[in-house]
Structure formats: structure tokens, C-alpha cells
């Protein structure tokens, strides 16, 4: 189980000015990028530790020509613009980041893009003796991306071997804890099994987190899809992102289009995929989505969504800035890209951002203190259009999760301790509560 924190490196913190390159040297420079780098992340390691997360998921670190880094031109080199022009220094900077994270019991995984690479990929970096192959676009997503990317032919034995060696290189040469596999939907199941087996030979506890979703599929289709890719006993992944549950949280708590009964049904459906060696990863933001506060336009609804997120059985992934309800760029060309904005730190926070950080930190600490939140079973107590009450329970304890979207106060008829506020309460207002009997 982990409470993760995704960092899109170019947007987080600029910790070293010497690796800032002119914008015109990039093939694509996103307007809100701030020349963030690995050094900036190292400088904010105490901040991340104070927040309470226990895993950092780094966006692509490889040599690339864009600020997002998904256009890999060399899998075996760290991009100069997030580290150093010296390859040796660049490697040392990443090693320093891993050392500082591990000192604080924070694991680190990196984004690994195996389905595609830049059209300008440097084929001289491919290991001797391997003759790799590419292929035309094979899916609607790839058709949309073909201007920027080439696509690896994963049916070819040498190409598979090349991409597996990429994973081996990073685990063998750096003390990494695993990978997030970008667009794993495009990777064959037997390749994913072989990749997982080879990585486990290096680190038996390797984390392999997959991005598998069909953006035009409904929740049931995505459930079947996740079940297909999951396999049995962490056969291919240790975790997969759950986009269907994100969509339900967004529709109910963000857009107010559906009701809490729909949301609870999705949570229960999703939980059928969780097991001892595999847990789904839940989120309310990522780098390809709008900021949740820009969807809900209401801090109370944001707090309810964050509180629910932290009560789900499985793993959690926060997007950088999620902890302060960081707002996106309303002028972004696409709403889905609007969340890619510069991180804000304590010295520039508003009162509301300070309050939201403290709230998120409190939820994280409660999740760590009460394992029933991350591992417990669900038991429905009551659900209405604007009210949801369910228990999280295990053999040792139970917590009642109470969500009210109603405008009128509700009398609980007896007194409970609300773990979030730390107060004894009998009346609930609109909000979310973690209740235990006094």
C-alpha cells in the first residue's frame, strides 16, 4: 500500500539555474512550465515528508525535447534540462534524490514509456546485436499521437528485449523502487508478464503501476479491461490506476451530475479487483486532467472528494499541488491540459491553501494510523441521493464514513468522535466525517 505523489518535473520547482535552456531549444514548451528539475525536488524533500506521502512518482526523466518528457529520444540518459549537462553529474543527482527519499522512507518510481518514443529517437543508443522494429499506429490513441511519436513493434523479439533491458538498466544502476508504465493499454499481455518477471529478478518487491483505461468505454467495460490486464497474483502489475472510480467521483462530487448511490456502486465494483498482492490506485487528479477544484468550483466539495479518496481500500496517488487544491490555468487551450501549472509552496500560499494543506496532511496521518481506511472491507449502512453512510471495518476496528451533500443539518441521535476534526459531534452539516462511537 502507498500514498503516492506525482511530480511532473518541469512544473514543480526550479532548483538549479544552470540547466535552464532557452525555450526555442525545445520542440514543445508548455506555457506554464517553470524549468523544474531534480534538484528542486531534492530541495523540497522535507516538504514532501511533512505532507506524509510515502511514494514519489516522477514524470519522465529521459532525454527528450518537450517539457512533459514523453517524447523519449534516449531511454538510457537523464535529460540535461532536469539535471546536468554532465552525464555523470546527472546520474549522481538522481542517486542523491533517491538517497534523500529513502532516508525518509519514501519510495520512488519513474514513468516508463514503452509503447512509443519520439520520432527523433536516437537509434544509436540501442544495445548491440538488437535490431528493433517500429509499426504504424494501432489504436485511436496512437492515430492522435502519430505526429509526435513512433510506435514500437512489440510482436518483434528484439524490440521486446530492448524495452525490457531499458527497465533492467534503471533498476540495476539506480536504487529505484519501480515504474509507472505509461499507456500500458498498448502493451501485449505476454510482454507485460515477461517484463514483470525480469524486473522481479532484480527486485522482488518492484512496484509496477499501470495506466490502462479506455476513454470511450463505460465503467463496466473498464472493469473488464482492468481485470484482463491485472491477471492473477500481481502477474503483470502490482497496481493499476482506476479511472472509472475517478470518473464517478468527478460526476458526483465534482459536477453534481449523478448521486451518491451511483458512486458507492462503483466503489464496490472496483474493490472486487483488490487482493493481497494487487491493489488499485485511486486519484482525483493527474497530469492529463483538470484540477478537481476547477471542476467542483467549491472547496467544500473538494474536501469531501479528498476525504473519500483517503478512505478507499487500495493505493492513493496525489497530483503535485493536490494537497492545496492548486487551481489550473483557465486560459489553457484544452481543459484537460489546464492542470499543468507551476507548483506553489508555503511562502506564497493563501490562507485557504494553508488550511487545505493541513486538512490533506490530517487525512494522510489518519490513513496511516487507521489501517482499516486503506485495507478494510466495506459495509453499506445507508445511501440516498445526497447521503452516503458506510463502514470500513476489519477484525480490530471500524470507522463509519459519513458523507452528506444535504443543505440541512442532520441529528445523529447519539454522540460520535469525528476523527477528521478531532471533535465529538452529534449534528452533521454538509461534508465528510470519519466517525467512531464515543
Amino acid at each position: 500500500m502507498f500514498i503516492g505523489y506525482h511530480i511532473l518535473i518541469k512544473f514543480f520547482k526550479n532548483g538549479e539555474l544552470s540547466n535552464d535552456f532557452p525555450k526555442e531549444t525545445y520542440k514543445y514548451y508548455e506555457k506554464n512550465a517553470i524549468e523544474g528539475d531534480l534538484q528542486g525536488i531534492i530541495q523540497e524533500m522535507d516538504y514532501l515528508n511533512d505532507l506524509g506521502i510515502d511514494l514519489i512518482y516522477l514524470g519522465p526523466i529521459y532525454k527528450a525535447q518537450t517539457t512533459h518528457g514523453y517524447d523519449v529520444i534516449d531511454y538510457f540518459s537523464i535529460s540535461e534540462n532536469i539535471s546536468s549537462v554532465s552525464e555523470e553529474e546527472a546520474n549522481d543527482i538522481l542517486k542523491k534524490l533517491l538517497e534523500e527519499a529513502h532516508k525518509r522512507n519514501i519510495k520512488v518510481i519513474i514513468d516508463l514509456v514503452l509503447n512509443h518514443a519520439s520520432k527523433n529517437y536516437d537509434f544509436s543508443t540501442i544495445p548491440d546485436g538488437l535490431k528493433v522494429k517500429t509499426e504504424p499506429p494501432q489504436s485511436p490513441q496512437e492515430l492522435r499521437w502519430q505526429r509526435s511519436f513512433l510506435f514500437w513493434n512489440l510482436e518483434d523479439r528484439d524490440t521486446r528485449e530492448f524495452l525490457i533491458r531499458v527497465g533492467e538498466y534503471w533498476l540495476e544502476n539506480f536504487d529505484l523502487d519501480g515504474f509507472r508504465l505509461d499507456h500500458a493499454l498498448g502493451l501485449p499481455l505476454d510482454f507485460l508478464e515477461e517484463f514483470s518477471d525480469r524486473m522481479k529478478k532484480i527486485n522482488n518487491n518492484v512496484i509496477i503501476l499501470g495506466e490502462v483505461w479506455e476513454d470511450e468505454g463505460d465503467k463496466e467495460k473498464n472493469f473488464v479491461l482492468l481485470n484482463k490486464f491485472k491477471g492473477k497474483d500481481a502477474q503483470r502489475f502490482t497496481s493499476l490506476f482506476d479511472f472509472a472510480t475517478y470518473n464517478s467521483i468527478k460526476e458526483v462530487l465534482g459536477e453534481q451530475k449523478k448521486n451518491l448511490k451511483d458512486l458507492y456502486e462503483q466503489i464496490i465494483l472496483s474493490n472486487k479487483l483488490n487482493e493481497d498482492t494487487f491493489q488499485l490506485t485511486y486519484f482525483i487528479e493527474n497530469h492529463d486532467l483538470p484540477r478537481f477544484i476547477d471542476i467542483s468550483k467549491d472547496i467544500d466539495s473538494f474536501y469531501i472528494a479528498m476525504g473519500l479518496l483517503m478512505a478507499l481500500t487500495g493505493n492513493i496517488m496525489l497530483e503535485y499541488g493536490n494537497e492545496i487544491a492548486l487551481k489550473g490555468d483557465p486560459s489553457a487551450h484544452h481543459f484537460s491540459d489546464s492542470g499543468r501549472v507551476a507548483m506553489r509552496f508555503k511562502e506564497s500560499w493563501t490562507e485557504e491553501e494553508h488550511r487545505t494543506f493541513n486538512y490533506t496532511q490530517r487525512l494522510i496521518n489518519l490513513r496511516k494510523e487507521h489501517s482499516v481506511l486503506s485495507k478494510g472491507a466495506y459495509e453499506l449502512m445507508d445511501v440516498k441521493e445526497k447521503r452516503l453512510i458506510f463502514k470500513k471495518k476489519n477484525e480490530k476496528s471500524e470507522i463509519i464514513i459519513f458523507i452528506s451533500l444535504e443543505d440541512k443539518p442532520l441529528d445523529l441521535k447519539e454522540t460520535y468522535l469525528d476523527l477528521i476534526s478531532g471533535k465529538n459531534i452529534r449534528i452533521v452539516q454538509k461534508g465528510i466525517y470519519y466517525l467512531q462511537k464515543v
Side-chain angles (χ1 to χ4, degrees):
M1 299 284 189
F2 59 73
I3 303 171
Y5 190 93
H6 174 236
I7 297 176
L8 200 56
I9 299 169
K10 277 293 174 188
F11 298 81
F12 191 66
K13 183 176 181 179
N14 188 349
E16 176 55 58
L17 298 181
S18 67
N19 59 24
D20 297 357
F21 294 94
K23 291 182 180 180
E24 55 269 22
T25 63
Y26 288 81
K27 189 174 179 182
Y28 176 57
Y29 192 98
E30 294 160 285
K31 70 172 184 173
N32 292 311
I34 55 166
E35 291 295 343
D37 46 38
L38 298 179
Q39 291 94 322
I41 298 170
I42 294 170
Q43 291 167 15
E44 295 299 332
M45 200 63 73
D46 282 339
Y47 167 80
L48 297 172
N49 188 51
D50 186 43
L51 175 60
I53 57 99
D54 53 27
L55 179 141
I56 295 170
Y57 146 37
L58 292 176
I61 64 172
Y62 323 99
K63 193 169 288 188
Q65 297 172 305
T66 65
T67 45
H68 55 68
Y70 285 92
D71 59 319
V72 180
I73 58 175
D74 178 4
Y75 283 114
F76 301 101
S77 294
I78 299 170
S79 189
E80 297 172 349
N81 57 34
I82 61 165
S83 55
S84 168
V85 294
S86 161
E87 185 173 347
E88 183 178 353
E89 283 184 12
N91 290 344
D92 287 343
I93 291 165
L94 178 58
K95 289 175 181 177
K96 176 69 171 174
L97 187 154
L98 296 171
E99 179 187 344
E100 292 299 323
H102 290 158
K103 270 186 201 174
R104 296 163 174 83
N105 295 314
I106 298 173
K107 294 181 179 181
V108 181
I109 64 174
I110 58 173
D111 218 331
L112 188 53
V113 191
L114 298 179
N115 180 75
H116 49 272
S118 169
K119 282 195 166 182
N120 297 325
Y121 192 84
D122 182 359
F123 281 80
S124 71
T125 65
I126 292 169
D128 291 342
L130 296 179
K131 295 181 179 180
V132 302
K133 293 180 180 179
T134 61
E135 64 183 9
Q138 302 292 308
S139 67
Q141 293 98 326
E142 292 181 359
L143 284 169
R144 294 198 297 267
W145 302 337
Q146 62 182 321
R147 286 187 178 182
S148 303
F149 301 129
L150 58 79
F151 305 99
W152 301 115
N153 183 344
L154 272 298
E155 300 303 322
D156 176 67
R157 183 64 248 171
D158 275 9
T159 307
R160 287 182 176 224
E161 179 63 25
F162 160 55
L163 295 172
I164 289 171
R165 287 193 198 177
V166 169
E168 289 176 333
Y169 169 82
W170 290 101
L171 288 190
E172 288 172 346
N173 290 280
F174 300 89
D175 193 16
L176 283 161
D177 298 288
F179 304 103
R180 177 263 192 181
L181 295 187
D182 179 69
H183 193 60
L185 179 64
L187 303 174
L189 297 181
D190 57 345
F191 167 79
L192 288 165
E193 287 178 38
E194 184 178 2
F195 180 87
S196 176
D197 288 343
R198 294 268 288 269
M199 298 309 112
K200 287 174 182 174
K201 286 178 181 175
I202 301 169
N203 176 1
N204 191 48
N205 296 314
V206 67
I207 295 166
I208 303 178
L209 170 60
E211 181 196 33
V212 174
W213 74 301
E214 178 51 69
D215 52 1
E216 295 179 3
D218 60 23
K219 293 176 178 61
E220 288 74 21
K221 286 180 180 177
N222 271 295
F223 175 85
V224 171
L225 186 67
L226 289 182
N227 197 34
K228 172 184 172 183
F229 271 78
K230 177 179 78 75
K232 296 180 180 178
D233 301 321
Q235 181 178 4
R236 306 180 186 103
F237 299 96
T238 56
S239 185
L240 289 166
F241 283 110
D242 187 345
F243 284 85
T245 298
Y246 160 75
N247 280 330
S248 279
I249 295 173
K250 177 191 70 170
E251 290 164 356
V252 177
L253 300 178
E255 299 168 335
Q256 291 86 45
K257 287 182 177 177
K258 295 190 177 181
N259 62 52
L260 287 167
K261 183 174 184 292
D262 298 322
L263 176 52
Y264 186 74
E265 287 174 354
Q266 170 56 35
I267 290 169
I268 296 305
L269 177 65
S270 166
N271 190 54
K272 291 178 181 178
L273 295 174
N274 289 319
E275 53 189 39
D276 288 342
T277 55
F278 174 96
Q279 297 86 33
L280 290 169
T281 294
Y282 299 99
F283 60 96
I284 59 171
E285 293 180 4
N286 74 20
H287 61 291
D288 291 325
L289 297 170
R291 296 287 172 169
F292 197 87
I293 190 65
D294 294 331
I295 298 171
S296 69
K297 304 185 187 304
D298 167 26
I299 195 65
D300 292 332
S301 296
F302 177 90
Y303 282 2
I304 295 170
M306 187 68 87
L308 175 63
L309 181 70
M310 292 292 176
L312 297 179
T313 292
N315 301 308
I316 302 300
M317 187 66 72
L318 300 177
E319 183 69 5
Y320 74 93
N322 207 167
E323 70 275 21
I324 59 169
L326 184 67
K327 293 180 174 66
D329 179 0
S331 68
H333 186 61
H334 297 290
F335 192 37
S336 59
D337 296 334
S338 64
R340 298 188 186 188
V341 293
M343 177 60 181
R344 290 164 55 84
F345 292 100
K346 290 186 178 182
E347 59 273 11
S348 62
W349 286 353
T350 64
E351 285 186 20
E352 185 174 275
E353 287 170 332
H354 276 284
R355 187 167 61 250
T356 304
F357 176 87
N358 291 337
Y359 175 77
T360 306
Q361 184 186 53
R362 173 70 175 160
L363 292 175
I364 290 173
N365 288 336
L366 287 172
R367 189 172 173 86
K368 288 180 172 180
E369 291 168 15
H370 300 273
S371 62
V372 69
L373 292 171
S374 61
K375 299 178 182 178
Y378 295 90
E379 181 182 309
L380 181 63
M381 298 177 68
D382 186 29
V383 62
K384 293 180 172 62
E385 184 177 342
K386 292 192 173 184
R387 187 190 310 163
L388 172 60
I389 311 169
F390 63 91
K391 287 181 183 178
K392 292 297 300 294
K393 62 180 188 176
N394 57 25
E395 62 280 358
K396 294 181 180 179
S397 66
E398 66 180 41
I399 295 174
I400 297 170
I401 310 301
F402 194 117
I403 297 174
S404 175
L405 304 182
E406 297 172 308
D407 295 324
K408 294 181 180 179
L410 179 71
D411 190 338
L412 297 175
K413 308 300 184 187
E414 57 182 305
T415 300
Y416 290 85
L417 170 64
D418 172 36
L419 294 173
I420 297 177
S421 66
K423 296 178 181 178
N424 288 339
I425 64 169
R426 177 168 172 156
I427 304 296
V428 296
Q429 310 283 348
K430 178 181 177 182
I432 185 166
Y433 304 84
Y434 294 177
L435 302 178
Q436 286 188 322
K437 289 187 177 181
V438 176

